[in-house]
């Protein structure tokens, strides 16, 4: 799960990050995120491969170094349950597509909604 670290701060210079902060972000990437840091066009760093279980400690560490505006579970307009649901649908799609070129809509048309509903709601049967 990606963690976005915004470098646009209120009252600060966009894109500014201290050497200490950068070292801490690099340590987080190495420890929790496959040693990968990406840079976006809108003054942000992204740790693209953070496990859901590590999000809290990553966010706490970012807050400790003054980068508290960063947290993948606080994406504007989404709550954590919605992010988990989207992730479940995407993982289902990736696991059942025929090859890397098969689009989501093509998979959905081929298999129908059942695998996606199962990923979201499990296999329990509901009685009305």
């Amino acid at each position: 799960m990606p963690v976005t670290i915004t470098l646009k701060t209120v009252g600060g210079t966009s894109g500014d990050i201290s050497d200490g902060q950068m070292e801490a972000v690099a340590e987080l990437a190495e420890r929790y995120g496959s040693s990968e840091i990406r840079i976006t066009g809108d003054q942000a760093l992204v740790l693209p491969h953070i496990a859901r279980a590590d999000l809290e400690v990553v966010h706490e560490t970012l807050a400790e170094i003054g980068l508290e505006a960063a947290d993948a579970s606080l994406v504007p307009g989404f709550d954590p349950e919605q992010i988990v649901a989207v992730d479940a649908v995407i993982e289902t799609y990736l696991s059942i597509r025929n090859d890397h070129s098969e689009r989501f809509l093509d998979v959905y048309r081929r298999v129908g909604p059942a695998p996606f509903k199962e990923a979201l709601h499990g296999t329990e049967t509901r009685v009305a």
Side-chain angles (χ1 to χ4, degrees):
M1 174 165 251
V3 170
T4 302
I5 305 165
T6 183
L7 299 179
K8 289 184 177 182
T9 57
V10 176
T13 303
S14 291
D16 269 2
I17 185 169
S18 72
D19 60 337
Q21 289 172 319
M22 194 66 212
E23 286 288 331
V25 170
E27 287 176 22
L28 287 171
E30 186 174 329
R31 181 176 223 172
Y32 301 106
S34 304
S35 297
E36 187 173 349
I37 301 172
R38 296 181 186 170
I39 301 171
T40 70
D42 61 346
Q43 305 292 329
L45 302 176
V46 177
L47 305 178
H49 306 291
I50 304 298
R52 215 178 265 115
D54 296 326
L55 284 176
E56 187 173 345
V57 69
V58 169
H59 178 68
E60 288 172 0
T61 303
L62 290 169
E64 289 171 9
I65 63 170
L67 296 172
E68 60 274 350
D71 186 76
S73 65
L74 299 176
V75 176
F78 293 94
D79 66 37
E81 287 182 17
Q82 290 171 316
I83 292 172
V84 170
V86 169
D87 193 45
V89 169
I90 291 170
E91 285 181 21
T92 300
Y93 155 66
L94 293 174
S95 71
I96 62 176
R97 66 184 177 175
N98 286 327
D99 60 45
H100 289 19
S101 66
E102 189 175 24
R103 299 176 313 154
F104 177 85
L105 186 57
D106 296 329
V107 171
Y108 186 85
R109 287 177 178 155
R110 179 172 53 82
V111 301
F116 302 103
K117 286 183 177 182
E118 184 176 324
L120 291 172
H121 307 295
T123 56
E124 68 183 51
T125 304
R126 297 181 187 195
V127 179

